Amino acid sequence: MILAKLAYKSLLNRKASVFLTLLTIAISVMLLLSIERIRVDAKSSFSNTLSGTDLIVGARTGDIQLLLSSVFRIGHANNGVSWQSYEYITNQRGVKWSIPISLGDSHKGQAVIGTTLDYFTHYRFAKKQNLSFSKGHAFEAINEVVLGSEVANKLDYKLGDNIVISHGMGNTSFHHHKDNPFTVVGILNATGTPVDKTLHIPLAAIDLIHGGSNTEHAEHEKHNNLTGHPKQITAFLMGFESPLYTLQIRRNINQYKKEALLGIMPTVTLKELWGILAIVEKILLLFSAVVVLVSLLGMLTTLLANLSQRRRELAILRSVGARPWQLFTLISFESLLTMFIGCLVGCALYYLALFTGGSYLQSHAGISVNIAMLSYYELTLIGVIMVAGFIIGLIPATRAYFYSLSDGMSIKT
């Protein structure tokens, strides 16, 4: 108890150097825990982008390419699916619902998707959560648009605003459909998925803005006319009454003779995609390990530097009866106490970072951060840091053990 009190007072006596050491340890712990939580939650958010969809069907290409283009709006689909094939497949026995999607247009760099009202009814994200509206409602006429939350916030759009769709994806377009402006009638709640960065218009409007139909009565067209009869769509999502139907129809789609189509199971393809990105996980873990190692080496350097300045102090302790093993215990306890306080401060900074940066990560990176108690794995990481810090602290403690009284009291030149 006396050694613990002495170690505490010794740390207070060296406030500047101890503070820098604590700060280094705290930041390393915060970074380690933050990277680990972001790694886990990014994987979870990535997998939860689409939930409850059994099949995604598009033109025959790679599984991952179809997933990225249809769900994440990354890349472009080389071909589409004919409307006749869509109707034939979705009318098969066991099909519970289907969502046609048509891509290829944009608005100020944000993707535009043509779809039906089934999109707002059956599309699920995270753990089968429904899309919901923060303002307004789903489109009811062919010239109406529903915005994702990020589109509305980024471009500062409100209900009733008029927007113009551009042909082609990306920030630059040379063909704007100025003759067919759309009125904002709904804004979706944030989902942390590509839905937030998407503008949703009726499927029939895709033909309309490309000159496929007469627009005189567009404002009066309601639910039954919002689908239209497009020549082709980019892809479509499907839900089935039973997993057996999923496997059966998927096989039939991949063997479809009238058109080269591909049906993928999104959950399987997401796992495959994350497997390809596993190198990113390893890099993040390596980065975390390097940060912790640098902080431990910094603590060791500080302890050794302080020890050289404390040789006379240790010698005085020896002169009043302190034994070598007590000096060893004192220095060890100081390093352990420093690590413990540093880890506590690091945990506090970690939760502060989650509370302040969680919303930013969800809105800008689509990562839904789970603010919860430290997991068993995270506690294990902290325990490993504590043990590593204790081992590092044994080095200066061992040197202190072998310091002699005459070495501490003598004057060096």
Side-chain angles (χ1 to χ4, degrees):
M1 194 65 185
I2 296 177
L3 286 176
K5 185 176 180 180
L6 186 61
Y8 175 72
K9 290 185 175 295
S10 178
L11 292 177
L12 289 180
N13 191 49
R14 294 176 285 111
K15 294 179 181 178
S17 60
V18 171
F19 173 77
L20 292 176
T21 304
L22 285 175
L23 185 62
T24 303
I25 296 171
I27 292 176
S28 67
V29 171
M30 180 197 70
L31 288 176
L32 176 64
L33 294 177
S34 298
I35 290 173
E36 177 59 24
R37 180 59 61 91
I38 290 174
R39 182 185 70 85
V40 173
D41 288 346
K43 185 175 182 179
S44 176
S45 297
F46 199 79
S47 300
N48 289 334
T49 298
L50 189 64
S51 177
T53 296
D54 297 318
L55 277 185
I56 300 175
V57 182
R60 189 166 297 169
T61 181
D63 291 16
I64 294 178
Q65 183 179 350
L66 176 57
L67 177 72
L68 291 177
S69 62
S70 60
V71 177
F72 294 94
R73 326 283 192 253
I74 299 175
H76 306 280
N78 297 326
N79 297 301
V81 180
S82 68
W83 187 250
Q84 291 77 12
S85 295
Y86 166 75
E87 288 187 320
Y88 173 78
I89 294 171
T90 55
N91 286 327
Q92 299 297 307
R93 187 178 66 174
V95 177
K96 192 174 182 179
W97 55 264
S98 64
I99 302 173
I101 58 175
S102 183
L103 298 165
D105 293 296
S106 64
H107 174 72
K108 296 184 178 180
Q110 308 299 314
V112 172
I113 178 174
T115 187
T116 64
L117 291 172
D118 289 332
Y119 181 90
F120 305 104
T121 303
H122 298 295
Y123 190 94
R124 300 286 188 275
F125 67 97
K127 297 180 180 179
K128 295 187 177 181
Q129 295 184 43
N130 295 320
L131 296 176
S132 59
F133 287 85
S134 62
K135 298 178 181 178
H137 51 79
F139 45 69
E140 296 177 348
I142 202 170
N143 63 338
E144 295 178 346
V145 59
V146 173
L147 307 180
S149 61
E150 186 172 335
V151 175
N153 293 332
K154 182 178 180 180
L155 302 179
D156 194 27
Y157 284 145
K158 300 177 180 61
L159 298 182
D161 288 348
N162 291 325
I163 64 174
V164 174
I165 304 299
S166 303
H167 182 66
M169 303 294 289
N171 292 312
T172 303
S173 178
F174 299 99
H175 186 190
H176 303 287
H177 303 291
K178 296 181 180 179
D179 295 334
N180 300 289
F182 289 82
T183 303
V184 178
V185 296
I187 298 174
L188 295 169
N189 282 312
T191 64
T193 71
V195 173
D196 299 342
K197 304 177 182 179
T198 306
L199 296 85
H200 309 81
I201 63 176
L203 189 62
I206 297 295
D207 273 349
L208 170 66
I209 62 179
H210 292 124
S213 62
N214 194 311
T215 65
E216 291 182 359
H217 61 289
E219 293 185 2
H220 302 287
E221 294 191 17
K222 296 297 180 180
H223 297 283
N224 295 334
N225 299 318
L226 295 182
T227 302
H229 296 282
K231 293 182 179 180
Q232 67 175 18
I233 56 177
T234 303
F236 58 96
L237 314 181
M238 300 179 70
F240 297 90
E241 296 176 356
S242 167
L244 294 178
Y245 289 119
T246 303
L247 297 175
Q248 178 184 345
I249 294 182
R250 178 173 180 264
R251 184 179 66 252
N252 294 338
I253 289 172
N254 293 337
Q255 296 175 354
Y256 192 62
K257 298 189 180 300
K258 293 184 179 180
E259 198 172 348
L261 299 180
L262 174 67
I264 63 171
M265 302 174 70
T267 53
V268 175
T269 308
L270 278 169
K271 291 180 181 178
E272 181 182 346
L273 178 58
W274 193 259
I276 296 175
L277 299 176
I279 184 64
V280 178
E281 285 190 275
K282 295 178 181 179
I283 293 174
L284 289 175
L285 290 174
L286 179 61
F287 178 74
S288 302
V290 170
V291 168
V292 173
L293 179 61
V294 169
S295 69
L296 291 175
L297 291 177
M299 185 187 76
L300 175 61
T301 302
T302 303
L303 289 175
L304 290 176
N306 289 337
L307 187 62
S308 298
Q309 300 173 0
R310 297 175 62 192
R311 296 180 72 167
R312 187 177 298 275
E313 172 192 338
L314 297 176
I316 293 174
L317 291 175
R318 289 287 305 277
S319 68
V320 295
R323 297 179 179 274
W325 67 265
Q326 291 176 317
L327 296 182
F328 177 88
T329 304
L330 175 65
I331 302 300
S332 299
F333 195 84
E334 287 182 9
S335 61
L336 185 61
L337 185 60
T338 302
M339 286 299 303
F340 178 73
I341 298 175
C343 288
L344 286 181
V345 175
C347 290
L349 292 176
Y350 161 67
Y351 278 107
L352 179 63
L354 290 185
F355 277 109
T356 56
S359 58
Y360 179 86
L361 284 174
Q362 180 159 3
S363 61
H364 289 77
I367 301 176
S368 179
V369 179
N370 181 28
I371 302 177
M373 297 294 292
L374 294 176
S375 66
Y376 176 79
Y377 180 68
E378 291 169 332
L379 290 174
T380 301
L381 290 177
I382 294 177
V384 170
I385 295 175
M386 291 283 295
V387 172
F390 177 73
I391 294 174
I392 289 292
L394 294 179
I395 297 175
T398 303
R399 294 191 62 178
Y401 181 86
F402 291 105
Y403 279 165
S404 64
L405 178 61
S406 59
D407 179 58
M409 297 296 290
S410 61
I411 300 176
K412 304 295 181 181
T413 59

